[in-house]
Amino acid sequence: MSASDTIRLLLIHDVPSEAQRLVSMLHNAGRPNRAQHVASEAALVKLLQDKTWDLLIAAEGSEKLAPAVALRTIQKMQKDVPVLLLSERDGAQAVVEGLKLGARDVVTVDEDQHLLLVIQRELQALENRRKARLHDRRYHATLQRAKELLDSSKDAIAYVSDGLIVYANESFAERFGYKSGEDVEYQPLIDMLSENEREDGREFLKQCAIDNNEVEAQQWKFTAKTASGSHLPTRAEVLATVYDEERCLQVRIATRAGDTEQLEAQLSDIKNRDPLTGLYNRQHFLRLLDSTINSIAGSQRTGGLLYLEIDRFEEAVLGTVGVAGADALQKKVAELLQSSLRRGDVVARYGDDSFCLLMSETTPDSAERRTAELLKKVSDTIFEAAGKTLHVTASVGISLLSEASGSGEKVLNQALRAHDQALQNNDKGNCFALYEPDTEQQDDANTYRRARVAQALEAGSLKLLYQPVLSLQGSGEHLYEVLVRLVDGREELAPVAFLEGIGDSSLCSKLDRWVILTAIKAAAAQRSAGKQVTLLLHLTSASLLDSGLPAWLGVAFKAAKVSPGAVVFQLRQEDINSNLHAARDFTKQVQDLGCRVAVCHFGTGLNPFKSLEHVKVDVAKVDPSFVREVQDEGESSETLANLIRELSTTGTKVIVPHIEQASMLPTLWQTGTDYIQGYYVQAPAEEMAFDFSLD
């Protein structure tokens, strides 16, 4: 699961303050969580029945609810909840005893860094198990659908395992004069051939099974013997496949004539080709990539993927020769790549200015030498397009394929990251880099993030997006949440991607001030046009501790000619909990200016309402995990509804985010929800142009 996702956490600990310390430690580490303290077996059973949980952390010495009892309860209820034990004992004995009980790991008390790493590992493993179960369900649903399609197919189809027909559809039975598929199932296929062809047929099927060919079907011509004993000349396609989770051969006899099949093959090839260059297109290439990874997974071979992108394409090509000239250049580059192919290679056009070269077998050194040769070939070539000569270069990201590759998407993303790394090392291009798993120290990664944010502020490569927050009660307020994005080449990165671990409060504070100033200037322009917009602005914890910010805000509002009432400052609940006094003082100061204050990710922690006793917020945005439980996981809406009602009793307005389905609206109306936000309303946009009128 993503580091920004809220962890649904169960805690077993006899000391409430220590349980709260664990919650705060996770929040401070950037891991929001909804924690529930469990004090009895009955309470645990009810919690496990009512909701899905991601993790249980238990103190080894807990007496109110012994960890052994909790583990037995989870096992008995067959719930997939990883359990971690906290032990005050040093040495391996505590670990051995905990693992024997069924815990995933045992961590010494106060070893917080160790605990965080173990939590991350177990959450990733849990996500993998959940994905595997989802894929398994989809797989079996696909098998059922495939079975239905086979049963209704006009083509005669049979599956053969160890020489026996384990399945035959009705068309197969009818073709050979039988009443139903059951009449031929579990008969030797060879018995359906004429006597003089049986030995050749047996040898052919044996060789197909040995070849295990999953890419192209083998053509098989034979003379069949029908149920009445007559001979029927037949042409079939034989393909190695899986049926009912067993390896077998599929024998398919098409109902159409050969000329039609040849035409269909030609049409299929056209569908798989890029019309401009004649290379394989992106969709077909991704299928070939997955197929290659699957074949490598069962061997000791290493393959390679080169992602090649023409340097400064828009400036050096489109800006020089236009679209038609750019198309001509793409054709020439495609021809150059095709002329460089070796046995087993596949080349495809991936994007407007990019290509992919797939090598079925290579080594790291060989892939780098091959790339260097290819880049030299591109840079040494003088291209002609639109009556002009062009000298272009390219840059390449290399990713290796092995049994650990997983999926084509993963390998491709690695190649894209390697390409980005190459350009970071040499911004002039004509370079390459081989993807390597992250080995940098965290300090180096954080240094890079800080440098990237600082550069973005100086270069102006930050932008703001605006997402409408719609009132369900018809307040008429035109409220937009302001979202900052860092523009990085082809991507627009959200703060979770470029602020994680930045560790520089002055830089975070500087970023907050840039967002505030830019946003209120945009609001001023809207208000001068007669649109009374209100902005919901995020603040980092650095701004809570910035004692000079309230005074600066007063000056900024006057300079922009925007009323403070047009701004709602949004603080994360974990930041409020970690900086309670600073949050209280900041909230009072900006409210005295005329601004409102909101808390987001509300509902996380052990006692979320405790902080509201000290920090009087105007608006609360509930944590997205409450919505996901109802909207995506099909759980009861009772927990969400109770949270909204309890907030309403405190006089706090409520925003429910991440709404993607209309089915959520009746529940939210009934609970008195004040605002909704999400893609159901509108995705973030670069302009504040949403129509807030309710039909």
Side-chain angles (χ1 to χ4, degrees):
M1 61 194 298
S2 167
S4 61
D5 287 343
T6 302
I7 304 169
R8 289 168 288 193
L9 175 65
L10 295 173
L11 288 172
I12 298 176
H13 209 297
D14 290 345
V15 182
S17 61
E18 182 59 22
Q20 183 59 55
R21 189 195 73 80
L22 288 171
V23 171
S24 299
M25 184 272 293
L26 283 170
H27 279 308
N28 293 336
R31 298 309 307 257
N33 59 84
R34 284 170 51 196
Q36 179 70 50
H37 190 259
V38 189
S40 68
E41 183 180 2
L44 178 61
V45 169
K46 186 173 189 316
L47 287 167
L48 292 173
Q49 288 174 334
D50 290 348
K51 292 189 185 310
T52 300
W53 298 93
D54 301 319
L55 186 67
L56 187 150
I57 300 177
E60 182 186 45
S62 295
E63 296 180 356
K64 292 181 180 178
L65 175 57
V69 174
L71 282 160
R72 283 199 302 272
T73 301
I74 291 172
Q75 292 163 0
K76 188 194 311 182
M77 297 180 67
Q78 298 186 35
K79 297 292 185 178
D80 188 1
V81 182
V83 177
L84 303 180
L85 297 184
L86 300 179
S87 175
E88 295 188 1
R89 295 183 290 163
D90 292 326
Q93 188 59 36
V95 178
V96 171
E97 292 175 3
L99 294 178
K100 282 184 176 180
L101 285 176
R104 295 281 178 176
D105 209 339
V106 179
V107 180
T108 305
V109 170
D110 293 333
E111 293 288 344
D112 290 348
Q113 291 302 311
H114 183 193
L115 179 60
L116 285 170
L117 290 172
V118 170
I119 288 173
Q120 178 59 34
R121 182 194 70 201
E122 291 305 320
L123 291 177
Q124 185 60 56
L126 176 65
E127 182 180 22
N128 291 340
R129 292 195 298 274
R130 287 172 174 171
K131 286 181 177 178
R133 289 193 289 267
L134 176 62
H135 292 161
D136 190 55
R137 291 193 296 272
R138 289 175 175 172
Y139 170 69
H140 284 94
T142 301
L143 287 182
Q144 182 59 37
R145 177 60 179 154
K147 177 69 165 54
E148 294 171 358
L149 292 172
L150 286 171
D151 290 342
S152 61
S153 175
K154 297 297 182 183
D155 291 344
I157 299 174
Y159 286 94
V160 181
S161 177
D162 295 328
L164 295 179
I165 300 173
V166 294
Y167 166 82
N169 67 0
E170 297 302 311
S171 297
F172 188 91
E174 291 173 5
R175 188 176 187 89
F176 299 106
Y178 294 91
K179 292 182 179 179
S180 71
E182 294 178 356
D183 293 338
V184 295
E185 287 178 359
Y186 298 100
Q187 291 188 29
L189 177 63
I190 297 302
D191 289 354
M192 298 182 66
L193 273 62
S194 60
E195 287 79 356
N196 61 336
E197 293 188 18
R198 288 179 181 176
E199 191 58 37
D200 290 342
R202 185 178 290 108
E203 188 62 30
F204 174 81
L205 293 173
K206 179 181 177 181
Q207 192 59 47
C208 285
I210 292 173
D211 291 344
N212 196 22
N213 189 352
E214 295 185 4
V215 179
E216 296 180 358
Q218 298 289 322
Q219 296 292 326
W220 182 27
K221 293 182 180 180
F222 61 93
T223 303
K225 188 174 69 175
T226 65
S228 63
S230 61
H231 289 147
L232 178 64
T234 303
R235 182 172 67 179
E237 290 182 344
V238 180
L239 182 72
T241 186
V242 175
Y243 178 76
D244 201 17
E245 300 185 5
E246 296 289 338
R247 301 294 305 179
C248 64
L249 296 174
Q250 181 195 75
V251 179
R252 172 179 169 269
I253 304 165
T255 58
R256 291 176 287 254
D259 291 343
T260 306
E261 291 177 7
Q262 184 177 4
L263 178 60
E264 283 196 348
Q266 293 173 351
L267 291 173
S268 177
D269 186 62
I270 291 171
K271 183 178 69 174
N272 295 332
R273 298 281 179 179
D274 171 53
L276 176 65
T277 63
L279 302 179
Y280 284 129
N281 59 28
R282 178 174 180 168
Q283 292 76 16
H284 186 61
F285 176 76
L286 292 176
R287 291 194 292 270
L288 292 175
L289 178 58
D290 281 326
S291 177
T292 302
I293 291 172
N294 289 336
S295 65
I296 286 176
S299 70
Q300 298 301 314
R301 290 186 293 120
T302 300
L305 172 65
L306 307 186
Y307 172 82
L308 181 148
E309 186 174 292
I310 299 170
D311 295 326
R312 300 177 297 280
F313 182 74
E314 291 190 6
E315 172 190 343
V317 180
L318 278 174
T320 304
V321 295
V323 175
D327 287 348
L329 175 76
Q330 295 282 30
K331 291 180 183 179
K332 296 292 185 181
V333 174
E335 292 170 3
L336 184 149
L337 292 174
Q338 283 181 310
S339 69
S340 305
L341 294 183
R342 299 176 185 176
R343 185 176 180 181
D345 288 350
V346 175
V347 65
R349 187 183 184 193
Y350 186 77
D352 289 342
D353 57 348
S354 58
F355 301 85
C356 284
L357 175 62
L358 176 63
M359 299 173 286
S360 59
E361 190 163 359
T362 190
T363 64
D365 290 343
S366 177
E368 290 185 328
R369 286 196 301 270
R370 181 94 181 269
T371 302
E373 293 169 1
L374 194 58
L375 292 183
K376 187 175 188 305
K377 197 170 182 180
V378 172
S379 64
D380 288 349
T381 301
I382 297 176
F383 298 95
E384 294 185 4
K388 297 181 180 180
T389 58
L390 291 174
H391 176 264
V392 300
T393 60
S395 296
V396 171
I398 311 168
S399 178
L400 298 180
L401 286 66
S402 69
E403 71 278 0
S405 291
S407 68
E409 181 181 3
K410 178 182 176 183
V411 171
L412 189 55
N413 285 335
Q414 291 172 351
L416 290 170
R417 288 171 63 182
H419 174 266
D420 291 343
Q421 184 62 50
L423 291 179
Q424 288 170 13
N425 297 337
N426 184 353
D427 58 5
K428 294 181 180 179
N430 196 25
C431 53
F432 67 88
L434 173 67
Y435 173 80
E436 297 181 24
D438 293 335
T439 55
E440 297 175 309
Q441 294 296 319
Q442 190 62 39
D443 287 345
D444 294 336
N446 292 344
T447 298
Y448 167 66
R449 294 188 185 103
R450 287 193 291 271
R452 182 160 62 166
V453 174
Q455 183 181 9
L457 283 166
E458 292 176 7
S461 54
L462 294 167
K463 65 185 293 187
L464 297 184
L465 300 179
Y466 304 91
Q467 186 171 34
V469 181
L470 184 64
S471 171
L472 283 185
Q473 308 304 323
S475 69
E477 186 174 22
H478 294 188
L479 178 60
Y480 290 92
E481 179 166 12
V482 179
L483 307 168
V484 63
R485 296 290 183 265
L486 189 151
V487 181
D488 184 11
R490 297 177 302 274
E491 297 181 296
E492 290 185 4
L493 304 178
V496 69
F498 64 83
L499 285 183
E500 180 184 1
I502 193 172
D504 188 333
S505 59
S506 63
L507 191 56
C508 288
S509 181
K510 185 177 180 181
L511 177 63
D512 281 348
R513 292 195 182 201
W514 180 88
V515 172
I516 293 168
L517 202 55
T518 306
I520 62 176
K521 285 180 180 178
Q526 291 286 314
R527 288 182 160 243
S528 65
K531 299 178 181 178
Q532 299 302 307
V533 300
T534 303
L535 302 181
L536 183 62
L537 292 168
H538 290 266
L539 289 181
T540 63
S541 59
S543 290
L544 283 181
L545 303 173
D546 182 358
S547 58
L549 181 60
W552 179 87
L553 287 172
V555 175
F557 288 137
K558 289 179 182 178
K561 297 181 180 178
V562 171
S563 166
V567 174
V568 184
F569 288 110
Q570 183 171 236
L571 313 175
R572 297 192 312 164
Q573 178 161 4
E574 49 266 40
D575 290 340
I576 292 176
N577 291 337
S578 301
N579 306 279
L580 199 58
H581 293 297
R584 180 194 59 197
D585 294 342
F586 172 82
T587 299
K588 186 176 185 306
Q589 287 175 308
V590 296
Q591 286 174 335
D592 288 343
L593 282 175
C595 303
R596 284 175 288 170
V597 176
V599 55
C600 63
H601 293 292
F602 187 81
T604 59
L606 280 173
N607 188 357
F609 284 91
K610 189 71 176 176
S611 60
L612 297 189
E613 296 175 5
H614 305 279
V615 180
K616 304 298 184 183
V617 300
D618 304 282
V619 183
K621 182 192 291 185
V622 302
D623 190 75
S625 61
F626 290 94
V627 181
R628 282 197 293 268
E629 286 176 353
V630 181
Q631 188 170 251
D632 303 334
E633 300 168 16
E635 294 189 11
S636 168
S637 60
E638 182 180 357
T639 301
L640 174 61
N642 289 339
L643 181 66
I644 295 170
R645 292 190 185 103
E646 191 169 355
L647 279 168
S648 298
T649 62
T650 67
T652 307
K653 300 290 186 182
V654 180
I655 300 175
V656 178
H658 288 235
I659 301 299
E660 297 179 356
Q661 301 171 8
S663 58
M664 289 289 297
L665 297 184
T667 298
L668 299 180
W669 265 315
Q670 291 170 10
T671 58
T673 298
D674 298 284
Y675 303 94
I676 60 170
Q677 180 184 8
Y679 278 69
Y680 174 75
V681 179
Q682 183 179 284
E686 296 188 18
E687 302 292 337
M688 290 182 271
F690 181 72
D691 182 4
F692 281 90
S693 61
L694 288 173
D695 295 333

